[in-house]
Short mmCIF file of all heavy atoms in Angstrom, two decimals:
data_model
loop_
_atom_site.label_atom_id
_atom_site.label_comp_id
_atom_site.label_asym_id
_atom_site.label_seq_id
_atom_site.Cartn_x
_atom_site.Cartn_y
_atom_site.Cartn_z
N ASN A 452 -82.31 -1.18 2.02
CA ASN A 452 -82.40 -2.10 0.88
C ASN A 452 -81.42 -3.25 0.99
O ASN A 452 -81.58 -4.26 0.30
CB ASN A 452 -82.14 -1.34 -0.42
CG ASN A 452 -83.20 -0.29 -0.68
OD1 ASN A 452 -84.35 -0.45 -0.29
ND2 ASN A 452 -82.82 0.79 -1.35
N ILE A 453 -80.40 -3.11 1.79
CA ILE A 453 -79.47 -4.20 2.03
C ILE A 453 -79.46 -4.50 3.54
O ILE A 453 -79.88 -3.67 4.36
CB ILE A 453 -78.05 -3.88 1.53
CG1 ILE A 453 -77.47 -2.67 2.26
CG2 ILE A 453 -78.04 -3.66 0.04
CD1 ILE A 453 -76.03 -2.40 1.90
N ARG A 454 -78.95 -5.68 3.87
CA ARG A 454 -78.98 -6.13 5.27
C ARG A 454 -77.64 -5.90 5.97
O ARG A 454 -77.62 -5.66 7.19
CB ARG A 454 -79.34 -7.61 5.31
CG ARG A 454 -79.56 -8.16 6.71
CD ARG A 454 -79.91 -9.63 6.67
NE ARG A 454 -80.06 -10.17 8.03
CZ ARG A 454 -80.19 -11.46 8.31
NH1 ARG A 454 -80.20 -12.35 7.30
NH2 ARG A 454 -80.31 -11.86 9.55
N SER A 455 -76.56 -5.99 5.24
CA SER A 455 -75.23 -5.83 5.85
C SER A 455 -74.25 -5.30 4.82
O SER A 455 -74.44 -5.46 3.61
CB SER A 455 -74.73 -7.15 6.42
OG SER A 455 -74.53 -8.10 5.39
N THR A 456 -73.18 -4.69 5.30
CA THR A 456 -72.13 -4.20 4.43
C THR A 456 -70.79 -4.30 5.15
O THR A 456 -70.73 -4.27 6.39
CB THR A 456 -72.40 -2.74 3.98
OG1 THR A 456 -71.49 -2.38 2.94
CG2 THR A 456 -72.23 -1.76 5.13
N GLY A 457 -69.72 -4.41 4.39
CA GLY A 457 -68.39 -4.47 4.95
C GLY A 457 -67.41 -3.67 4.11
O GLY A 457 -67.60 -3.52 2.91
N VAL A 458 -66.38 -3.12 4.75
CA VAL A 458 -65.37 -2.35 4.05
C VAL A 458 -64.01 -2.68 4.64
O VAL A 458 -63.88 -2.92 5.85
CB VAL A 458 -65.66 -0.83 4.15
CG1 VAL A 458 -65.63 -0.35 5.60
CG2 VAL A 458 -64.69 -0.03 3.29
N ALA A 459 -62.99 -2.74 3.79
CA ALA A 459 -61.62 -2.99 4.22
C ALA A 459 -60.69 -2.10 3.41
O ALA A 459 -60.96 -1.79 2.25
CB ALA A 459 -61.25 -4.46 4.02
N LEU A 460 -59.58 -1.71 4.04
CA LEU A 460 -58.65 -0.78 3.39
C LEU A 460 -57.23 -1.12 3.82
O LEU A 460 -56.97 -1.41 4.99
CB LEU A 460 -58.99 0.65 3.80
CG LEU A 460 -58.30 1.78 3.02
CD1 LEU A 460 -58.90 1.90 1.62
CD2 LEU A 460 -58.47 3.11 3.76
N TYR A 461 -56.30 -1.10 2.86
CA TYR A 461 -54.89 -1.27 3.19
C TYR A 461 -54.04 -0.55 2.16
O TYR A 461 -54.52 -0.12 1.11
CB TYR A 461 -54.51 -2.74 3.30
CG TYR A 461 -54.76 -3.62 2.10
CD1 TYR A 461 -53.75 -3.93 1.20
CD2 TYR A 461 -56.02 -4.18 1.88
CE1 TYR A 461 -53.96 -4.77 0.13
CE2 TYR A 461 -56.26 -5.01 0.80
CZ TYR A 461 -55.23 -5.31 -0.07
OH TYR A 461 -55.46 -6.14 -1.14
N ARG A 462 -52.74 -0.40 2.49
CA ARG A 462 -51.85 0.42 1.68
C ARG A 462 -50.72 -0.39 1.08
O ARG A 462 -50.14 -1.25 1.73
CB ARG A 462 -51.26 1.55 2.54
CG ARG A 462 -50.28 2.46 1.80
CD ARG A 462 -50.03 3.75 2.57
NE ARG A 462 -49.22 3.54 3.75
CZ ARG A 462 -48.08 4.20 4.01
NH1 ARG A 462 -47.63 5.08 3.14
NH2 ARG A 462 -47.42 3.99 5.12
N THR A 463 -50.39 -0.08 -0.17
CA THR A 463 -49.21 -0.61 -0.83
C THR A 463 -48.46 0.57 -1.44
O THR A 463 -48.90 1.16 -2.43
CB THR A 463 -49.57 -1.66 -1.91
OG1 THR A 463 -48.40 -1.97 -2.67
CG2 THR A 463 -50.66 -1.17 -2.84
N GLY A 464 -47.36 0.97 -0.82
CA GLY A 464 -46.63 2.15 -1.29
C GLY A 464 -47.48 3.39 -1.18
O GLY A 464 -48.03 3.71 -0.12
N GLU A 465 -47.62 4.12 -2.29
CA GLU A 465 -48.46 5.32 -2.32
C GLU A 465 -49.92 5.02 -2.62
O GLU A 465 -50.74 5.93 -2.70
CB GLU A 465 -47.95 6.29 -3.40
CG GLU A 465 -46.64 6.97 -3.10
CD GLU A 465 -46.33 8.04 -4.11
OE1 GLU A 465 -46.19 7.72 -5.30
OE2 GLU A 465 -46.24 9.21 -3.72
N TRP A 466 -50.26 3.75 -2.80
CA TRP A 466 -51.58 3.37 -3.26
C TRP A 466 -52.40 2.76 -2.12
O TRP A 466 -51.86 2.10 -1.24
CB TRP A 466 -51.48 2.36 -4.39
CG TRP A 466 -50.76 2.91 -5.59
CD1 TRP A 466 -49.41 2.97 -5.79
CD2 TRP A 466 -51.36 3.49 -6.75
NE1 TRP A 466 -49.13 3.55 -7.01
CE2 TRP A 466 -50.30 3.87 -7.62
CE3 TRP A 466 -52.68 3.71 -7.15
CZ2 TRP A 466 -50.54 4.48 -8.85
CZ3 TRP A 466 -52.90 4.30 -8.38
CH2 TRP A 466 -51.85 4.68 -9.22
N LEU A 467 -53.71 2.96 -2.19
CA LEU A 467 -54.64 2.33 -1.26
C LEU A 467 -55.53 1.36 -2.01
O LEU A 467 -55.96 1.63 -3.14
CB LEU A 467 -55.51 3.37 -0.56
CG LEU A 467 -54.80 4.35 0.38
CD1 LEU A 467 -55.80 5.32 1.00
CD2 LEU A 467 -54.03 3.61 1.47
N VAL A 468 -55.79 0.23 -1.38
CA VAL A 468 -56.72 -0.77 -1.90
C VAL A 468 -57.93 -0.78 -0.97
O VAL A 468 -57.78 -0.92 0.24
CB VAL A 468 -56.09 -2.17 -1.95
CG1 VAL A 468 -57.11 -3.20 -2.45
CG2 VAL A 468 -54.86 -2.17 -2.85
N LYS A 469 -59.11 -0.63 -1.55
CA LYS A 469 -60.34 -0.64 -0.75
C LYS A 469 -61.30 -1.69 -1.29
O LYS A 469 -61.51 -1.79 -2.50
CB LYS A 469 -61.03 0.73 -0.75
CG LYS A 469 -62.30 0.77 0.09
CD LYS A 469 -62.76 2.19 0.40
CE LYS A 469 -63.27 2.92 -0.80
NZ LYS A 469 -63.86 4.24 -0.45
N LEU A 470 -61.85 -2.47 -0.39
CA LEU A 470 -62.83 -3.50 -0.74
C LEU A 470 -64.14 -3.18 -0.04
O LEU A 470 -64.16 -2.93 1.17
CB LEU A 470 -62.33 -4.87 -0.29
CG LEU A 470 -63.27 -6.06 -0.48
CD1 LEU A 470 -63.49 -6.35 -1.96
CD2 LEU A 470 -62.72 -7.29 0.25
N ARG A 471 -65.23 -3.19 -0.79
CA ARG A 471 -66.55 -2.93 -0.22
C ARG A 471 -67.50 -4.03 -0.69
O ARG A 471 -67.60 -4.31 -1.90
CB ARG A 471 -67.07 -1.56 -0.68
CG ARG A 471 -68.47 -1.20 -0.20
CD ARG A 471 -68.48 -0.74 1.24
NE ARG A 471 -69.86 -0.56 1.70
CZ ARG A 471 -70.59 0.54 1.49
NH1 ARG A 471 -70.07 1.55 0.83
NH2 ARG A 471 -71.82 0.62 1.96
N ILE A 472 -68.18 -4.69 0.25
CA ILE A 472 -69.15 -5.73 -0.08
C ILE A 472 -70.47 -5.39 0.61
O ILE A 472 -70.48 -5.02 1.80
CB ILE A 472 -68.69 -7.12 0.38
CG1 ILE A 472 -67.30 -7.45 -0.16
CG2 ILE A 472 -69.67 -8.20 -0.07
CD1 ILE A 472 -66.74 -8.79 0.32
N SER A 473 -71.57 -5.54 -0.10
CA SER A 473 -72.90 -5.29 0.46
C SER A 473 -73.84 -6.40 0.03
O SER A 473 -73.74 -6.90 -1.10
CB SER A 473 -73.45 -3.94 0.01
OG SER A 473 -72.62 -2.88 0.45
#
Side-chain angles (χ1 to χ4, degrees):
N452 296 330
I453 62 175
R454 187 180 177 189
S455 65
T456 191
V458 62
L460 191 73
Y461 58 98
R462 179 165 72 126
T463 170
E465 289 188 298
W466 298 83
L467 294 180
V468 178
K469 181 164 69 173
L470 175 67
R471 177 78 187 277
I472 307 177
S473 299

